[in-house]
Amino acid sequence: MSQTATVDHVVAPDSGKGAVDYIRNGKGIVSWLTTIDHKRIGLMYLGSVVLAFLVGGLFALAVRLELLTPSRTIMSAAGYNQAYTLHGAVMVFLFIIPSIPASLGNFLIPIMVGAKDVAFPKLNLFSLYIFWIGALITLSSLVLGGIDTGWTFYVPYSSRVSTTAVVNVTLGAFIMGFSSILTGLNFIVTMHKLRAPGMSWYRMPLLCWALYATSLVQIVATPVLGITLLLLIFERAFQIGIFDPALGGDPVLFQHFFWFYSHPAVYIMILPGFGIISELIAVHSRRKVFGYKAIAFSSVAIALIGFLVWGHHMFVSGQSELAGTIFSFLTFIVAIPSGIKVFNWTSTLWGGSIKLDTPMLYALVFLILFTIGGLTGVFLGMLGVDLHLHDTYFVVAHFHYVMVGGTAVAFFGGLFHWWPKMTGKMYSEKGGAVSAILVFIGFNMTFFTQFFLGSRGMPRRYYNYLDQFQPLHAFSTVGSWVLGAGFALGIVTLLVSLKNGKQAPANPWGGLSLEWQTASPPITENFESTPVVTHGAYDYPLAQGQKEHA
Amino acid sequence: MNKPHINIDSFWLPRQSSTLAEKVDFGYYAAYWTGIVFFLLITGATVYLVLKYRRRTEKDKTSPIAHNTALEVTWSLIPLVILIWLFFVGLRSYVYASVAPAESYEIKVTGEMYLWTFIYPDGTAVVNELAVPKGRPVKLIMSSKDVLHSLYIPEFRVKQDVVPGLYTTIWFNATNAGDTALLCTEYCGSGHSDMLATVKVLEESDFEKWIEQQSGPSDLPPEELGKLLYAKKSCATCHSVDGSPMQGPTFKGIFGRNEEFSDGSRVAVDENYIRESILNPQAKVVKGFPAVMPTFRGLLKDREIDALIAYLKTVK
Amino acid sequence: MSSSAEAHVANGEKSPQFHVAHHFPTADIQFNSGKMGIWLFLVTEILLFGGMFCSFAIFRSWYLGGFVEAHHHLDRVMGGINTIVLICSSLTMALAVRAAQTTNKKAVTVLLGLTLAFAATFLVIKYFEYSHKFHDGLLPGIHFTATGFQEPREAGIFFAIYFMMTGIHGFHVLAGMGLITWILIRNLKGQFSSRYYAPVEGVGLYWHLVDLIWIYLFPLLYLVG
């Protein structure tokens, strides 16, 4: 491979001679379940979240199928309410929140900063077990009565009226919260204390910056969700009266608590996606990132300002007009750093050497879908316009553009990008490219339609809907099949490569960050000897023999 | 069940049927055109750059330019200015929507699983039908009896959560006579999507007539009046007459049917049981159905209950 | 201390009590990492309790009368004694850390034992307080059965918050006792010295936080109401 020519100046060890790679170092299921190697833990997280994605995806397809006709199609109203609630809860708590940080982040952060492992490897394994336990408790609701409250668990419906297994799901989410907290804590300490010699903050890959910001939010926001869910559990089990208006409590307080976590949680979900897109665009354009510091600090800015905008979920909830006004204003301010990122990514393409490998295709899909997601967020941030659009399909479409078109697409892009590194196998470019295109088409069919539905007054969480909306709903349902096929093809392409894929070179894309300077797959402690870093993660001009640019 | 209809007369939005609608839509289109411009800029630039700078050889040299302060300040400040403008546009219609004129006609609204009750100043209570005079500001004072609901009238562009233990308000000034839809937009349980009402916008004189009529047509035979009440008082939201199960048991063949209750006891349905179930629905709950029926105490007069019983005897 | 620790690594002569995990370049970095991890964890603990302090503040401002009325039913003497007990336990904990730093194994054992004893005393007193409340029907929300209150519903919410906060705090005391027992056993095995005492210090920091939270809980619930 000629790409290796671009990296021969890097002061890094000649990797992969002698030591055994991390996959073959230790055989049998016990060696995996007791491992403290961050790469193996990352891989186990990866398997878990992809499984959760499939479960959540099946619920999504069921929901869309039910909505093919205005009244009953395949299930009862109660069944429908459970299907969309489980879709939301599984996707949010079991897939999106852990997806990028716990799987790719776990695998990559230590390698990217030149460390042998995360700061607390045993704690890392412990986090995985907590995640599994929480996930199992959540999923136990499937056989113990389901849940029909919506993933937001609004009281007093969730605390008094619903007869489903609300406690299982909230308790599971509460437990998984600790996994999230401990993972974030581990990452922050790792990046502070274990960077290799020469790895200054500004030489770190932007994925690290993004995950640093994510970890901050995880640590600060998740405990509040923890206490909120705990209060809800007590409210439901013992009727303690904090949230139930019949006992003097306040249901709007629950919403404040819930969104104080869950809005920052939106950034837990999207910031890692930002990080991945920064990597994909830079590496597949072989271009020094335009505005490195702007991208890095905008992540941190989003993480911080993101704590002050939770009330924009509650413009029509009964909170005061003044509060609504302040939250709306701050919402517009937090839009700026996201905009800056998009401009910087686009500018990074200028003067690059762009190759449309599968990861790059996913990055471009992200760029377009996230731009739509961001711009439609502006509608919802406007107080007056939100009066009309709140809790309609417009909101549903908007957050799917951000969460699926943003995070899930970034996750798949990242998966294709680092798959050769993680498994040592190259996948079929054709399969990857077709999956990216199918996802793009299917996604827009499914969700762009929903902007029409919402603008025209279709409320969300409706089992029976007005007949006039059927054509749009039917189109959206057909789109969901294309979208499902796209994601399925992506997963199949990767799985097939495990069996038939060619051996991956150490650096298939010609990247400069440290993970590309070690073997594919890496050895157990990542590097033969501690790497010494002499340049930034994206110093392509230097690697191409150009003179230092002032 | 007859579902209401939303009139849609533009590509994106429902008909503007209140004085607020125009103001909200101005904000919508402000964001819309801003969005279109930025979207075209970003995707246009992306597509152009991807085509122009595609990889020719493995030895391509790439640009070392890593920042440009003037450019970066520009693309931060221009969006900031636009966003602050949009904030004020949104704020303007919000302020208009928040402050009801003092002379507004006040209607009390109660949301409960799964119906709306509208109580007029003269005490008239109507279920799932909101008649309002055209061209006169109307203020809804809303509260919930059980869980959260949200009252939404798309053609008026108004929406507000209806919260137990709290009064929330909205106001509007309807501009088009005719029927439109009122929907619940805060999830409230398995009948959430059936919690609909029809908004009737009437000319002032028709509105006065409508209010008078609500005291009830008296000359109908009991079966006919019962059938009318079945539809008007929203029994039809949860009870079918064709045998299909909904939120509640079907009315088909109900009279004389032997029902089993959640506590295991049984009774053959008679006049007393129907009366009790209307006034105190939780006393005996049919097995397999959630105990969610609201009481109709105060909403139905004795004569009307008799009429309903007479009607139910005819549903076979 | 740090230079001697590094010297050990450089010479490769690790004593059996000297733990540097495989992925840390030096003992110093390991020590600092552990400390940073603990502090970050304490931040999350503060935020966890922050949510409850927040609901206390909100409901107190709404239901001032009911809260003032309800708080007279808390036992200030028992609460006061418990405050003193916890402050003492913090002192013995701090001294235990100091003793570990100076490789005084025996003192560490005694001081940790004392801390455990104080913690147990706290829980016993708490048990008596709780059983009085249960007996009098001073319970959260719908279970509130005490009579003679002007605002029983508000008092129910007060006791909901009281039981939540003190209950979760009590759970933390219990967890702290487990951790102290764990380092006590490790100390008995002779694993701590001036070169390696990070676990003692970490548990110490956690214990001080548990104490600190009580220092806020006591005046807010018992004295101010």
Side-chain angles (χ1 to χ4, degrees), chain A residues 27-39:
Chain A
K27 281 201 173 10
I29 189 140
V30 176
S31 82
W32 282 83
L33 292 178
T34 57
T35 185
I36 52 166
D37 184 336
H38 67 101
K39 298 183 287 301

Side-chain angles (χ1 to χ4, degrees), chain A residues 450-504:
Chain A
Q450 298 183 4
F451 285 125
F452 285 97
L453 282 168
S455 296
R456 293 173 175 199
M458 168 77 208
R460 64 194 288 207
R461 297 175 171 176
Y462 260 36
Y463 169 72
N464 295 318
Y465 55 83
L466 306 187
D467 297 340
Q468 65 193 102
F469 292 129
Q470 195 189 357
L472 288 167
H473 267 301
F475 189 77
S476 177
T477 299
V478 173
S480 72
W481 300 335
V482 181
L483 179 60
F487 280 128
L489 179 64
I491 294 171
V492 168
T493 303
L494 291 175
L495 290 181
V496 166
S497 79
L498 288 181
K499 228 174 142 57
N500 303 335
K502 271 191 282 184
Q503 181 61 40

Side-chain angles (χ1 to χ4, degrees), chain A residues 2-3 5 70 77-78 81 84 148-150 154-157 160-161 245 251-252 255 283-292 294 315-318 320-321 325 328-329 332-333 335-336 340 342-344 346-347 349-356 364 367-368 371-372 375 378-379 382-392 394 448 451-452 454-457 459-469 540-541 544 546 549, chain B residues 3-8 10-14 20 24 27-32 34-36 38-39 42-43 45-46 49-50 52-68 71-72 75-76 79-80 83-84 86-91 93-94 97-98 113-114 146-148 150 152-155 157-161 163-166 168 181 183-196 247 292:
Chain A
S2 51
Q3 283 96 322
N81 292 334
Y84 83 69
D148 70 344
T149 60
Y154 272 16
V155 290
Y157 186 77
R160 181 152 45 82
V161 179
V252 181
Q255 296 175 30
V283 173
H284 294 271
S285 310
R286 300 218 182 124
R287 166 75 159 86
K288 196 166 187 172
V289 164
F290 189 90
Y292 176 98
F315 286 157
V316 300
S317 69
S320 76
E321 280 88 4
T325 307
S328 168
F329 186 77
F332 282 105
I333 299 301
I336 295 289
I340 288 176
V342 172
F343 296 138
N344 278 306
T346 311
S347 307
L349 298 171
W350 186 85
S353 166
I354 301 163
K355 186 145 185 282
L356 291 179
L364 295 177
L367 214 54
I368 294 173
T371 300
I372 297 177
L375 291 170
V378 171
F379 290 69
M382 294 172 71
L383 286 161
V385 182
D386 189 62
L387 293 181
H388 179 55
L389 298 176
H390 188 83
D391 270 341
T392 67
F394 194 95
F448 203 80
F451 285 125
F452 285 97
S455 296
R456 293 173 175 199
R460 64 194 288 207
R461 297 175 171 176
Y462 260 36
Y463 169 72
N464 295 318
Y465 55 83
L466 306 187
D467 297 340
Q468 65 193 102
F469 292 129
Y540 289 94
Q544 290 153 354
Q546 302 187 45
H549 187 83
Chain B
K3 284 185 186 171
H5 185 83
I6 304 169
N7 298 295
I8 299 185
S10 76
F11 192 57
W12 285 101
L13 293 162
L20 172 66
V24 167
Y28 183 94
Y29 284 113
Y32 178 75
T34 309
I36 297 251
F38 274 93
F39 178 75
I42 291 165
T43 43
T46 304
L49 292 171
V50 167
K52 174 152 190 222
Y53 293 103
R54 63 183 181 277
R55 186 169 302 167
R56 324 255 161 183
T57 69
E58 287 298 331
K59 302 251 185 247
D60 281 354
K61 293 209 188 316
T62 57
S63 166
I65 298 170
H67 64 92
N68 179 329
L71 186 64
E72 292 181 63
W75 76 34
S76 307
L80 183 67
L83 286 174
I84 289 179
L86 287 173
F87 162 75
F88 280 107
V89 171
L91 183 61
S93 50
Y94 181 70
S98 301
M113 296 159 75
Y114 302 101
D146 37 48
V147 299
L148 299 176
S150 187
Y152 176 37
I153 308 173
E155 283 190 39
R157 314 286 191 273
V158 292
K159 183 182 291 125
Q160 177 68 51
D161 279 10
V163 184
L166 186 73
T168 52
L183 311 143
C184 178
T185 46
E186 187 71 82
Y187 173 69
C188 56
S190 53
H192 168 51
S193 64
D194 301 327
M195 196 167 157
L196 312 174
Q247 306 306 321
V292 293

Side-chain angles (χ1 to χ4, degrees), chain A residues 14 28 71 81 94 107 171 269 275 333 369 377 424 468 485 512 523:
Chain A
D14 51 337
S71 47
N81 292 334
L94 271 71
F107 191 97
L171 186 65
M269 302 179 211
I333 299 301
L369 298 185
Q468 65 193 102
L512 293 185
I523 58 174

Side-chain angles (χ1 to χ4, degrees), chain A residues 127-393:
Chain A
S127 308
L128 175 64
Y129 276 93
I130 298 179
F131 173 71
W132 277 342
I133 292 168
L136 285 178
I137 293 178
T138 298
L139 291 174
S140 73
S141 68
L142 284 176
V143 290
L144 295 175
I147 178 165
D148 70 344
T149 60
W151 81 275
T152 45
F153 314 120
Y154 272 16
V155 290
Y157 186 77
S158 62
S159 66
R160 181 152 45 82
V161 179
S162 175
T163 53
T164 53
V166 179
V167 169
N168 295 53
V169 178
T170 44
L171 186 65
F174 172 73
I175 291 172
M176 282 185 282
F178 287 101
S179 164
S180 189
I181 290 172
L182 295 176
T183 303
L185 187 154
N186 224 332
F187 288 175
I188 287 188
V189 177
T190 306
M191 280 184 259
H192 269 278
K193 301 293 179 191
L194 291 182
R195 280 172 287 123
M199 177 60 80
S200 64
W201 284 96
Y202 294 135
R203 283 179 179 169
M204 283 201 310
L206 284 165
L207 178 63
C208 294
W209 276 94
L211 287 172
Y212 187 88
T214 310
S215 302
L216 276 180
V217 184
Q218 282 176 317
I219 286 181
V220 177
T222 316
V224 179
L225 177 76
I227 196 64
T228 309
L229 294 180
L230 210 54
L231 283 168
L232 174 60
I233 291 167
F234 283 121
E235 181 76 59
R236 189 170 166 83
F238 306 117
Q239 310 205 316
I240 58 172
I242 300 279
F243 296 138
D244 190 340
L247 298 169
D250 181 15
V252 181
L253 180 66
F254 175 84
Q255 296 175 30
H256 277 293
F257 273 5
F258 183 82
W259 289 115
F260 181 82
Y261 166 77
S262 292
H263 192 77
V266 170
Y267 299 115
I268 295 179
M269 302 179 211
I270 191 66
L271 283 172
F274 289 164
I276 285 186
I277 296 307
S278 305
E279 296 296 315
L280 301 192
I281 289 183
V283 173
H284 294 271
S285 310
R286 300 218 182 124
R287 166 75 159 86
K288 196 166 187 172
V289 164
F290 189 90
Y292 176 98
K293 286 187 186 174
I295 294 181
F297 285 114
S298 61
S299 288
V300 181
I302 289 172
L304 297 180
I305 308 173
F307 276 103
L308 306 175
V309 300
W310 77 87
H312 70 211
H313 296 265
M314 301 168 60
F315 286 157
V316 300
S317 69
Q319 77 179 355
S320 76
E321 280 88 4
L322 178 65
T325 307
I326 293 169
F327 283 126
S328 168
F329 186 77
L330 291 167
T331 301
F332 282 105
I333 299 301
V334 82
I336 295 289
S338 306
I340 288 176
K341 277 178 193 288
V342 172
F343 296 138
N344 278 306
W345 290 325
T346 311
S347 307
T348 301
L349 298 171
W350 186 85
S353 166
I354 301 163
K355 186 145 185 282
L356 291 179
D357 307 304
T358 302
M360 189 60 176
L361 283 177
Y362 270 100
L364 295 177
V365 170
F366 173 99
L367 214 54
I368 294 173
L369 298 185
F370 177 75
T371 300
I372 297 177
L375 291 170
T376 50
V378 171
F379 290 69
L380 298 168
M382 294 172 71
L383 286 161
V385 182
D386 189 62
L387 293 181
H388 179 55
L389 298 176
H390 188 83
D391 270 341
T392 67
Y393 267 65

Side-chain angles (χ1 to χ4, degrees), chain A residues 50 54 357-359 361-362 412 415-417 419-420 423 425-439 484-502 509:
Chain A
V50 169
L54 292 176
D357 307 304
T358 302
L361 283 177
Y362 270 100
F412 271 80
L415 206 50
F416 278 104
H417 184 68
W419 187 260
T423 64
K425 299 288 184 185
M426 295 305 288
Y427 48 82
S428 150
E429 267 299 325
K430 205 183 274 173
V434 173
S435 84
I437 291 164
L438 279 181
V439 165
F487 280 128
L489 179 64
I491 294 171
V492 168
T493 303
L494 291 175
L495 290 181
V496 166
S497 79
L498 288 181
K499 228 174 142 57
N500 303 335
K502 271 191 282 184
W509 317 120

Side-chain angles (χ1 to χ4, degrees), chain B residues 7 33 53 79 104 112-113 178 202 212 238 287:
Chain B
N7 298 295
W33 288 112
Y53 293 103
S104 299
E112 61 194 292
M113 296 159 75
L202 303 171
E212 276 166 31
C238 301
K287 192 173 178 170

